[in-house]
Amino acid sequence: LGNRGCWLYHMNALAALRKVCDTWGGEAQGTITVADGRVATRTLSIVEQIGSWRGARFTYGKNMAGCTRTVLEQDVYTALYGFGAGLPFTDEEGNYKAGYRRKLTFGEVNGGLNYVADEDAKLVWGRWNADRTARVHSFGQVTFSEETDPAHLLALTRRALAEAVRPKVSYEVDVAALSGDDADLGDTVAVVDTRSEEH
C-alpha cells in the first residue's frame, strides 16, 4: 500500500489498527485457522480497500427487503482522557532532557482529573463493576496532537465525549439483486434508518 507513516501513541490496539487502515487507505482482514477443535493461528492483514462509494442508498419498503439493526455497545465510552501536543521533559532547573515525551493533559484546569465523564451515560452504557452491583465508566481516550492549551484541550475533549457516548449502529440488509452499476462487493452504501432518522 506504499510508504507512509503515523504515530501510534497513547491509544489501545483497536484504535491503532484503525489509524493504520486510515493512513494507508486499506482494510483489515482477519483469518483464523482451527485445528483439533481449537484456534491454531490468528492472522491480521491490511489489504487494499475493496470497492468505493457510488451513491447507492437502501430504504426499507423500496429497494430493501429486510434489515437487522445491531447497536455496537463496545464502542461507547462514557468517560474520555484527553491528550494534546507532546511536551519535552525538563529537569528541576528547567533544562530540557533528552528522551521520551509526555503529552499535554488538562488536569490543572479540571480539578486534578485528566478525563471528562458523562454520569447520565454511565447509567445506560457504563460497564458493570466486578460484583455486578453498579455501573462504572467505560474509558476511552482522544488525542489532539497540535493542542498546547489545557483549557482548550478540555473543551475539545468534552466535545469529543458528546459523540463518544452515542452508540454506533451496524446494519445487515437484504436487498434486491444488484447490477454492477449500482453497487459491487466492498462498496460503501447508505442505509436509511427511518426508525431513528439516522443513516
Side-chain angles (χ1 to χ4, degrees), residues 75-141:
D75 287 337
V76 178
Y77 298 110
T78 63
L80 282 182
Y81 283 96
F83 298 100
L87 302 175
F89 280 122
T90 57
D91 60 23
E92 295 176 356
E93 298 175 355
N95 299 315
Y96 289 110
K97 295 166 56 179
Y100 209 68
R101 293 171 171 244
R102 64 184 179 88
K103 289 194 172 184
L104 177 74
T105 55
F106 51 71
E108 63 189 77
V109 294
N110 191 44
L113 299 176
N114 288 321
Y115 65 88
V116 293
D118 186 322
E119 297 301 322
D120 292 332
K122 179 182 74 172
L123 299 177
V124 179
W125 301 109
R127 61 181 181 81
W128 288 106
N129 63 3
D131 300 328
R132 294 193 63 80
T133 56
R135 295 272 190 175
V136 296
H137 283 297
S138 175
F139 280 89
Q141 60 188 29

Side-chain angles (χ1 to χ4, degrees), residues 3-191:
N3 293 324
R4 299 181 186 178
C6 63
W7 288 101
L8 305 176
Y9 179 49
H10 270 283
M11 65 179 65
N12 60 35
L14 179 58
L17 175 61
R18 287 174 173 166
K19 187 169 183 180
V20 168
C21 289
D22 289 343
T23 301
W24 271 267
E27 294 181 352
Q29 284 189 352
T31 304
I32 298 175
T33 60
V34 178
D36 299 323
R38 300 176 61 113
V39 173
T41 63
R42 295 181 176 90
T43 304
L44 185 67
S45 303
I46 307 297
V47 299
E48 187 173 352
Q49 185 172 357
I50 302 171
S52 61
W53 164 253
R54 305 187 200 190
R57 292 169 55 94
F58 300 109
T59 305
Y60 192 76
K62 293 183 179 178
N63 53 1
M64 181 168 57
C67 178
T68 301
R69 183 178 190 266
T70 305
V71 177
L72 306 176
E73 296 184 25
Q74 69 271 20
D75 287 337
V76 178
Y77 298 110
T78 63
L80 282 182
Y81 283 96
F83 298 100
L87 302 175
F89 280 122
T90 57
D91 60 23
E92 295 176 356
E93 298 175 355
N95 299 315
Y96 289 110
K97 295 166 56 179
Y100 209 68
R101 293 171 171 244
R102 64 184 179 88
K103 289 194 172 184
L104 177 74
T105 55
F106 51 71
E108 63 189 77
V109 294
N110 191 44
L113 299 176
N114 288 321
Y115 65 88
V116 293
D118 186 322
E119 297 301 322
D120 292 332
K122 179 182 74 172
L123 299 177
V124 179
W125 301 109
R127 61 181 181 81
W128 288 106
N129 63 3
D131 300 328
R132 294 193 63 80
T133 56
R135 295 272 190 175
V136 296
H137 283 297
S138 175
F139 280 89
Q141 60 188 29
V142 62
T143 300
F144 301 95
S145 58
E146 304 299 321
E147 187 55 58
T148 58
D149 177 25
H152 193 227
L153 175 62
L154 174 60
L156 291 172
T157 306
R158 283 179 174 152
R159 186 184 305 166
L161 179 63
E163 291 295 322
V165 298
R166 299 176 59 193
K168 309 299 185 294
V169 179
S170 172
Y171 296 92
E172 182 177 342
V173 299
D174 293 326
V175 299
L178 300 173
S179 70
D181 295 331
D182 297 321
D184 209 341
L185 181 65
D187 280 356
T188 300
V189 300
V191 176

